[in-house]
Amino acid sequence: MNPEDPRARRTRDRLRAALLSLAAERELADVTMSAVARRAEVNRATVYQHYADLDALVADAMDDAVAHVARCAALCPLDAPRDRPPEPLVDLFAHVSENAVLYRRMLSDQGSSRFANRLRERLAGALAARFAAGAGPAGFDDVPVRTHTAYLAGALVGVIADGVRAGTGGPGPADGRPAAGSEDGGPGGGAHALALATWRLLRR
């Protein structure tokens, strides 16, 4: 099968949409390839023609989300004041909060390890590319870039996973600014407050 064939692309689009729809309704452990096939209105054999297993389908279905998170992380200016999180970081957590159910499903104990690994690897890769371009933070010349970016990527994935589990990454006020009383990075300010707390840790 030619993966670039328009019919194959349309089928994969339907399968990805079906998977995301099901994952929004139930835990990932309760989603099966047969259920995906029924939701996409294709036969089960067709699903396996495109994806070896559910984890492969999950990783592909969430690829746009992974790319968005990695892009936001790579765009963060490293010289932003400690008490003012960079807008790309706020955008990152706003995106996660808008898709909190999916991220919670994907990063739960019964979620997709392949998705978690891909998210961590894409984050580390985006940060490494930025560091290689001379845009790394000052004062870390004695730390290997690979170690530094792996540390940052792991920290971000950990905060995302904890935020969606605890419900602290939900949307804040419509203008994106912190809610009253949430300037310290607590849960009241949603995505902005979580970005602020994370940024304060990263800027230490």
Side-chain angles (χ1 to χ4, degrees):
M1 176 188 299
N2 179 6
E4 298 307 315
D5 182 277
R7 290 172 298 179
R9 289 201 300 268
R10 286 194 296 270
T11 298
R12 288 197 301 274
D13 286 344
R14 291 172 65 183
L15 294 173
R16 287 191 290 262
L19 181 281
L20 295 177
S21 174
L22 289 166
E25 299 172 4
R26 64 189 77 166
E27 294 296 337
L28 203 57
D30 297 326
V31 177
T32 65
M33 294 293 249
S34 294
V36 171
R38 287 193 298 272
R39 183 64 58 92
E41 298 182 333
V42 300
N43 61 56
R44 191 166 177 265
T46 298
V47 184
Y48 283 104
Q49 286 177 350
H50 294 273
Y51 299 101
D53 52 36
L54 189 68
D55 234 16
L57 173 53
V58 167
D60 192 36
M62 292 293 288
D63 193 62
D64 287 345
V66 169
H68 183 81
V69 170
R71 186 165 55 249
C72 287
L75 289 174
C76 285
L78 301 175
D79 56 353
R82 184 173 179 272
D83 290 325
R84 186 181 302 166
E87 285 305 314
L89 191 62
V90 177
D91 289 345
L92 185 159
F93 284 108
H95 158 77
V96 170
S97 74
E98 290 164 5
N99 299 278
V101 172
L102 282 175
Y103 276 94
R104 185 164 58 249
R105 302 269 200 252
M106 300 299 171
L107 295 171
S108 73
D109 292 340
Q110 297 180 329
S112 169
S113 59
R114 189 176 300 185
F115 166 73
N117 288 335
R118 177 174 290 192
L119 180 59
R120 196 161 38 241
E121 289 168 1
R122 290 282 284 276
L123 277 166
L127 291 169
R130 180 171 181 175
F131 286 16
F140 293 95
D141 293 342
D142 57 343
V143 177
V145 169
R146 183 185 180 91
T147 303
H148 195 173
T149 56
Y151 166 80
L152 294 174
L156 281 169
V157 173
V159 171
I160 289 170
D162 183 70
V164 295
R165 279 198 299 265
T168 56
D175 62 2
R177 305 309 300 166
S182 68
E183 290 81 358
D184 63 348
H192 188 281
L194 196 54
L196 175 57
T198 303
W199 183 242
R200 285 172 171 169
L201 288 168
L202 295 177
R203 284 283 284 154
R204 284 187 182 277

